[in-house]
Amino acid sequence: MKTEKKHIIELYKSKITVFTLKDLAILLKEDNFNNLKARIKYFVDQGYIIRKRKGIYVKENYNKYELAIRIYTPAYISFETVLQQAGIIFQPYESIFAASYLNRRIELSDGQSIELRKLKNQILINQAGIIRKDNYFIAGPERAFLDMIYVNPEYYFDNLDLIDFAKCRKIISAYGQKTMFKRLESYAQLAKTQS
């Protein structure tokens, strides 16, 4: 029991709020799968961690963005989530939107939904315009804007004045498509006419 208390303390000292089985195996220094399952069950039964879905566990006050990108990795927060926070779109969304290697909608037991949108691997792993915050990655406004026009070329943005088109031009090569340059310039011209 003394060892369990030590591991619980380590768990809560960790800045990570979302854990996979692999994370817990490393934290608990447990390489036997059956022992690991038993220890995790004990932690869940005691309320030290919460099982969110198969193989994903969280602390009570977990970071929802961290959870969103840990279910299917690699991933980062982007699209409407970032654009709405930046004031570029006005429509509020309760879902968390993230870029990933697949398209998927995930409904969690607490009612939170996560929408993953597929980007090509070369785009997904390119760090241009991506910011590391705490234990997750999030697109800056310009990267989220480019992600959006990549998946939805006709998307309507409420406030293009907040887009730094010079920054967009620096990171657009991550998309590797001539059509993306045309889309960007089309939105840049639209922003000038709206100002």
Side-chain angles (χ1 to χ4, degrees), residues 160-161 165 169 185-195:
L160 288 170
D161 289 341
F165 287 97
R169 289 180 187 99
E185 292 311 316
S186 167
Y187 278 105
Q189 289 302 317
L190 182 61
K192 284 180 185 176
T193 61
Q194 290 177 347
S195 295

Side-chain angles (χ1 to χ4, degrees), residues 2 10 12 24 27 30 45 58 62 65 69 72 90 94 99 108-109 118 128 131 142 165 181 185:
K2 199 173 193 180
E10 289 299 314
Y12 276 87
L24 290 170
L27 184 69
E30 186 61 70
D45 291 346
V58 299
Y62 70 96
Y65 290 173
I69 70 156
Y72 294 102
F90 301 149
E94 292 190 20
L108 300 174
S109 57
K118 183 178 181 172
I131 304 158
E142 287 74 23
F165 287 97
F181 289 98
E185 292 311 316

Side-chain angles (χ1 to χ4, degrees), residues 37-105:
K37 279 183 13 182
R39 292 174 85 185
I40 290 172
K41 183 180 180 334
Y42 170 79
F43 287 156
V44 170
D45 291 346
Q46 296 300 310
Y48 298 127
I49 56 176
I50 302 161
R51 182 180 183 266
K52 276 311 222 182
R53 56 186 284 128
K54 187 175 183 179
I56 303 286
Y57 301 86
V58 299
K59 292 180 188 177
E60 186 176 351
N61 295 320
Y62 70 96
N63 184 310
K64 291 182 180 187
Y65 290 173
E66 185 181 349
L67 174 63
I69 70 156
R70 296 291 304 272
I71 296 173
Y72 294 102
T73 59
Y76 60 88
I77 304 301
S78 188
F79 304 108
E80 288 94 332
T81 301
V82 174
L83 296 169
Q84 193 259 328
Q85 286 177 357
I88 297 164
I89 62 172
F90 301 149
Q91 176 70 34
Y93 293 92
E94 292 190 20
S95 291
I96 296 171
F97 293 87
S100 180
Y101 64 91
L102 73 157
N103 287 312
R104 182 128 332 148
R105 181 179 172 86

Side-chain angles (χ1 to χ4, degrees), residues 143-179:
R143 176 67 183 251
F145 169 76
L146 291 171
D147 286 346
M148 185 60 88
I149 66 172
Y150 176 78
V151 299
N152 188 349
E154 303 296 321
Y155 194 85
Y156 176 78
F157 299 91
D158 298 300
N159 190 0
L160 288 170
D161 289 341
L162 296 176
I163 298 290
D164 183 337
F165 287 97
K167 274 188 186 177
C168 289
R169 289 180 187 99
K170 288 180 183 175
I171 60 178
I172 198 165
S173 62
Y175 297 85
Q177 293 182 342
K178 290 180 182 178
T179 56

Side-chain angles (χ1 to χ4, degrees), residues 17-30:
T17 65
V18 179
F19 302 91
T20 63
L21 285 174
K22 185 178 177 181
D23 297 329
L24 290 170
I26 292 168
L27 184 69
L28 300 174
K29 298 176 178 80
E30 186 61 70

